[in-house]
Amino acid sequence: MERLRDLAATSAVLERAKGVLMAVTGCTPDSAHGELLQRAKDGNRTLLEQCWLTLGALPPKEQPAAPPTAPPAVAGSWGSTPAGTLDLADVLADVGRDLVRVGSPHDLAGCLLDHLTPEVDADAVLLYERLPEGGLALIGHAGLDPTLAAQWHHVPPVAGVPALDALRSGEPRWLEDAALDSTRYVLIGDPPHQWLTRAWLPVPAGDAVSVALGVLRRRGGPFTPRERELLRAVARLCAGRLRAFDGPPNGPDGDVSQTVQAVFDALPGAVIMLTPLRSAAGEVEDYRIEAATPEAVDVFGRTGRDMVGKHILESYPSVAGEPLWQGYLQALETGRPFEGEPFAYQDVVGDVPVTATYTVRAARLGEGLVVTWLRHDPAERQEQRLADVQRLGNLGWANWNLVTQEISWAAQTYAVLGLQPGRRPVRLERLPELVLPEDKGPLAHAIARLVSHGRPFDVPFRTETPAGVRHLRMVAEAVTAPDGTPVEVHGFVQDLTAQRSAELALVESERAMLLQRGILQAERALATRLQHALLPLPSKPVRLAGLRVEVAYLPAQSGIHVGGDWFSAIELPDGGALFVVGDVAGHGIDAVATMAQLRFTAKGMVSTGSSLTGALARLNQLLLHSRDSQTTATMVLAHYHPDRHVLAWAQAGHPPPLLVRRGEVRFLERPGGMLLGATGAPVYESRELRLEPGDRVLLYTDGLVERPGEGLDGGFARLAEAVRTHGCGAAGSLDAMLTTMLADERRDDVCVLDIRMPAEETQDAQDTGEAGNR
């Protein structure tokens, strides 16, 4: 049981290492196993050691690199979008990222057109700002002819302007019927019908909405629900960027006291406090930064107090539509803190780029949120990785200073050696005292050479622990002074008990396999000799009762005649002929013995006058009361009466005979009959077939028509076609037919009995006699 458990653990490590190679190189499982074996051989290591090294070298999961201008909050949201959310969220994320580089309303319109063209078929984008006197001024456009833009640069405060209507009502205007819209609104264009559908949306900016976003399309048809939702979200996204163009720098709005900001000024790390900005319907549209620590920074380089009063979509526009935005909402609504996945971000320290790992955390505070960027210490991560490698590899490091006599061990070293963690580390020269007596010499000699001459070593040994004997391995090398004198020794101790147990179990398994192989080879040889003795294969066709009979037998594997397929073709005392083809389930000596029983019993019963159905019933009882009552067999019996040219036949679960007559190929309709050994009360029936000159009858076993992945009907159809091609007529070739049928690999033996009625009957009885083969 212990060996089996160790073997299972070793197999798990091997499969994990193979999976690593398959993921990294894209190779097959067999190629991965071969690569591990080759690496172990090249490094003079065992396979299990190589597996541990492969797992230890597995790189950490890579995170997508953040753009140079992205802050930790933005970078943390990239690359973490759950599978299946590719749609509006990704479109908005792309728009937000590109808005960072926008420097004017005109550039903003061009950016929006680039993104909205593939999404809503936009052909032009316009941005109108409401003037103090009530009219509109075109502050940005894309896709619009310059002349037309100049004509519509100023719009007076008249009725019927859809942009003004959207700003007054605070709701979008969807113009989707050009003929009807032209009667209600003043439409931009020359002619105005060059854009068949239009959308005008107010850009939210608190209580006073002053900018309208227009999207013009040349194609007709209404805006879909998805297009409307996308355009509303894009309008909200533009609000923060438009405020950044001309908004005066402002400090705290007064909602948060100076005391709170003073507290934030003293906090370490990057932390901001947010207040949600909600729409009239109560939905969160943005967040206002109420307080920020000195280390907090946005995409424009503003830090600390300079960020206070700004909005999130203004300071971090690419957060829109990302999982981080959803995390903010979850923390705000549920009260449960949200923590995003760790991500890599490149800081600049002293003009030197330094890659660090961050995690963004958001927690609700009153009606707002406190968002923190946590920076993970690289030294801590490295130490954790080292501890993980030691634990997974079941090894521990050790260091001996030969000058100061200081000794330091990893916690895992105590576990590998089976020692209590609180005990004092063992001196290097006293390590052999921990091993079994027969292994002390090699380890002591290796340590002496290392200390005296600085020669590294790799020595296996065994120790006695409360859990039993452990198979260990120690690898060590020396750090030398300039004169070559060793001054420090470092190395590791590894537990190889599982590997050794697996190796011993493998040796035992191989020994058992060799023994079993010898037994099987002896059994095959005996079965082959029995078959040749019981069923000699005739070298040429024979004649029985005026019929020409040819036999073919093809084993599933060349040279191994241990199957249960067999036949019999003899002349009976009444001048007729008996033809039998059978198939015993299984292979080996038992199958050969059962075949011999059935063959000789069937011949004896029919020769002494038993009917075909009576013979099958008695053969069924013989199998039911045999030594192995689970044995089954199929069979077809045929009795030819030459005086009447009648072939009487019966079957027990066997494929039907095939008749070739005057170029027509058909299968005979089977009489009733259950396979032998299946039931104690079977019913067997018989049929008669009158043979005509030139007729050909094939009796065969199921190996002729069976093929993996194909039904029996398909096999019968292939057999009929092969006989029709190669077997119709007096010169039909049995060999050619078999070559066509058995072109692919066979999984079962094949036995065929080819019975032919001469075209012109003769009385020649040459070559009569008995012939047999399985």
Side-chain angles (χ1 to χ4, degrees):
M1 292 291 292
E2 181 179 357
R3 285 196 300 271
L4 289 175
R5 284 194 296 268
D6 292 338
L7 179 59
T10 304
S11 300
V13 174
L14 174 60
E15 292 304 317
R16 289 178 61 193
K18 287 167 58 178
V20 168
L21 285 183
M22 291 166 61
V24 173
T25 64
C27 62
T28 63
D30 291 340
S31 300
H33 188 267
E35 177 66 18
L36 288 173
L37 290 174
Q38 186 62 42
R39 291 184 182 183
K41 180 179 178 182
D42 295 342
N44 195 23
R45 292 184 288 267
T46 64
L47 179 58
L48 186 58
E49 291 172 347
Q50 184 61 49
C51 290
W52 285 125
L53 291 175
T54 301
L55 292 174
L58 181 64
K61 183 178 179 182
E62 294 183 358
Q63 298 291 341
T69 59
V74 180
S77 63
W78 292 352
S80 58
T81 301
T85 60
L86 179 64
D87 194 10
L88 295 182
D90 290 313
V91 175
L92 293 175
D94 291 340
V95 174
R97 281 190 286 268
D98 287 348
L99 288 185
V100 175
R101 296 184 290 271
V102 170
S104 67
H106 194 75
D107 294 340
L108 176 60
C111 177
L112 295 180
L113 182 61
D114 292 339
H115 286 279
L116 295 180
T117 296
E119 296 296 331
V120 301
D121 291 336
D123 294 296
V125 171
L126 294 83
L127 290 169
Y128 272 107
E129 183 180 25
R130 177 153 47 184
L131 299 175
E133 62 273 16
L136 296 176
L138 184 63
I139 61 175
H141 64 85
L144 198 66
D145 181 80
T147 303
L148 188 62
Q151 294 173 354
W152 288 87
H153 184 71
H154 290 282
V155 178
V158 296
V161 176
L164 274 174
D165 196 4
L167 290 176
R168 293 190 185 105
S169 65
E171 295 294 333
R173 289 294 178 259
W174 309 100
L175 282 62
E176 299 168 328
D177 186 338
L180 178 61
D181 295 333
S182 62
T183 63
R184 297 187 300 169
Y185 293 109
V186 178
L187 301 180
I188 297 174
D190 188 17
H193 292 306
Q194 68 183 104
W195 290 295
L196 298 179
T197 54
R198 309 160 189 244
W200 290 96
L201 304 97
V203 177
D207 297 333
V209 180
S210 60
V211 177
L213 168 64
V215 178
L216 283 59
R217 304 192 304 183
R218 288 190 173 88
R219 74 171 176 87
F223 290 88
T224 66
R226 177 189 179 280
E227 292 172 341
R228 293 191 178 197
E229 181 181 357
L230 175 61
L231 291 177
R232 287 192 179 99
V234 168
R236 290 194 298 268
L237 193 60
C238 292
R241 197 71 195 100
L242 287 170
R243 285 193 300 271
F245 294 144
D246 54 359
N250 55 342
D253 290 346
D255 296 337
V256 179
S257 67
Q258 292 293 330
T259 303
V260 174
Q261 179 58 49
V263 172
F264 271 65
D265 288 340
L267 290 177
V271 186
I272 59 176
M273 184 175 181
L274 304 178
T275 296
L277 302 177
R278 300 181 181 272
S279 65
E283 297 180 354
V284 176
E285 295 182 333
D286 204 342
Y287 297 87
R288 182 174 59 246
I289 300 175
E290 302 289 1
T293 61
E295 295 184 25
V297 61
D298 66 8
V299 295
F300 304 105
R302 294 181 293 232
T303 61
R305 288 176 174 263
D306 293 336
M307 298 172 56
V308 176
K310 303 298 186 293
H311 293 188
I312 282 293
L313 293 182
E314 172 188 343
S315 299
Y316 310 110
S318 60
V319 76
E322 293 286 349
L324 183 58
W325 181 271
Q326 300 301 323
Y328 285 176
L329 293 177
Q330 292 174 12
L332 195 62
E333 294 172 0
T334 65
R336 293 191 298 269
F338 164 79
E339 186 166 332
E341 295 291 333
F343 60 93
Y345 178 70
Q346 191 175 73
D347 291 328
V348 178
V349 180
D351 296 329
V352 177
V354 177
T355 300
T357 301
Y358 287 89
T359 299
V360 178
R361 187 177 187 274
R364 189 171 71 184
L365 179 62
E367 297 299 324
L369 287 177
V370 174
V371 179
T372 308
W373 291 272
L374 303 176
R375 188 178 190 274
H376 301 282
D377 187 358
E380 294 179 358
R381 291 188 292 112
Q382 188 67 22
E383 183 176 345
Q384 183 60 44
R385 288 173 184 172
L386 179 59
D388 291 341
V389 168
Q390 293 182 88
R391 176 176 51 82
L392 294 174
N394 205 3
L395 56 86
W397 60 264
N399 187 82
W400 292 269
N401 191 309
L402 304 181
V403 178
T404 64
Q405 300 303 316
E406 294 180 359
I407 307 173
S408 57
W409 282 6
Q412 189 69 20
T413 305
Y414 291 93
V416 171
L417 292 173
L419 304 176
Q420 291 296 329
R423 135 173 209 176
R424 184 180 180 86
V426 179
R427 295 173 61 90
L428 182 60
E429 62 273 14
R430 300 191 62 179
L431 272 181
E433 298 177 4
L434 301 177
V435 307
L436 295 182
E438 51 268 35
D439 294 341
K440 286 184 178 180
L443 180 59
H445 180 67
I447 292 175
R449 295 180 62 187
L450 175 66
V451 174
S452 302
H453 307 288
R455 296 182 180 177
F457 66 79
D458 185 344
V459 177
F461 59 90
R462 292 167 294 168
T463 62
E464 183 72 42
T465 68
V469 176
R470 288 186 182 178
H471 296 264
L472 306 180
R473 168 200 181 203
M474 183 173 182
V475 179
E477 64 181 4
V479 178
T480 61
D483 62 355
T485 303
V487 295
E488 190 175 349
V489 172
H490 56 254
F492 66 86
V493 182
Q494 186 176 17
D495 188 351
L496 303 179
T497 305
Q499 173 192 325
R500 285 295 299 153
S501 299
E503 291 174 351
L504 294 175
L506 181 59
V507 170
E508 184 177 344
S509 176
E510 289 178 347
R511 185 182 302 113
M513 290 176 59
L514 290 175
L515 178 61
Q516 184 66 20
R517 184 181 299 173
I519 295 174
L520 290 176
Q521 289 176 346
E523 180 180 338
R524 288 171 179 166
L526 176 59
T528 299
R529 289 195 297 271
L530 283 175
Q531 286 184 321
H532 281 296
L534 295 172
L535 298 173
L537 183 66
S539 59
K540 60 182 180 179
V542 298
R543 294 186 66 84
L544 293 174
L547 300 177
R548 179 182 181 275
V549 182
E550 187 175 357
V551 180
Y553 172 76
L554 297 172
Q557 301 179 25
S558 178
I560 304 177
H561 303 272
V562 292
D565 291 17
W566 60 280
F567 83 98
S568 184
I570 62 172
E571 189 169 303
L572 297 174
D574 61 1
L578 173 67
F579 304 106
V580 189
V581 170
D583 185 358
V584 177
H587 292 79
I589 294 178
D590 291 340
V592 174
T594 303
M595 173 270 292
Q597 275 188 312
L598 296 177
R599 179 175 183 269
F600 290 115
T601 302
K603 288 168 55 177
M605 294 177 63
V606 178
S607 297
T608 56
S610 295
S611 65
L612 300 181
T613 56
L616 289 177
R618 290 181 175 84
L619 291 174
N620 181 72
Q621 292 298 318
L622 176 65
L623 278 188
L624 288 176
H625 295 87
S626 64
R627 179 184 59 180
D628 183 4
S629 60
Q630 302 300 319
T631 301
T632 60
T634 66
M635 183 186 300
V636 59
L637 288 172
H639 185 178
Y640 178 63
H641 302 274
D643 54 341
R644 297 186 294 126
H645 301 295
V646 171
L647 183 70
W649 66 287
Q651 63 87 32
H654 203 81
L658 183 143
L659 172 65
V660 182
R661 173 175 290 173
R662 294 188 295 274
E664 180 185 355
V665 179
R666 66 182 178 91
F667 292 95
L668 301 182
E669 184 178 352
R670 295 195 310 170
M674 179 68 69
L675 78 163
L676 304 177
T679 179
V683 176
Y684 295 104
E685 301 174 350
S686 64
R687 292 184 182 275
E688 292 187 348
L689 172 68
R690 181 176 182 82
L691 295 182
E692 299 179 2
D695 280 358
R696 181 184 183 188
V697 178
L698 289 181
L699 307 180
Y700 52 91
T701 56
D702 56 5
L704 182 63
V705 294
E706 287 182 344
R707 177 181 290 179
E710 180 185 60
L712 278 179
D713 290 341
F716 290 144
R718 285 191 298 105
L719 175 58
E721 182 61 28
V723 172
R724 189 177 293 110
T725 303
H726 302 285
C728 293
S733 171
L734 178 60
D735 291 339
M737 183 272 292
L738 292 175
T739 300
T740 301
M741 286 294 296
L742 306 176
D744 300 331
E745 177 185 359
R746 300 185 302 280
R747 295 192 178 183
D748 199 1
D749 300 341
V750 175
C751 181
V752 181
L753 201 60
D754 188 354
I755 305 169
R756 307 193 189 197
M757 168 73 81
E760 296 181 2
E761 297 187 41
T762 65
Q763 302 301 319
D764 185 7
Q766 61 181 356
D767 298 329
T768 59
E770 180 181 353
N773 186 40
R774 58 182 272 274

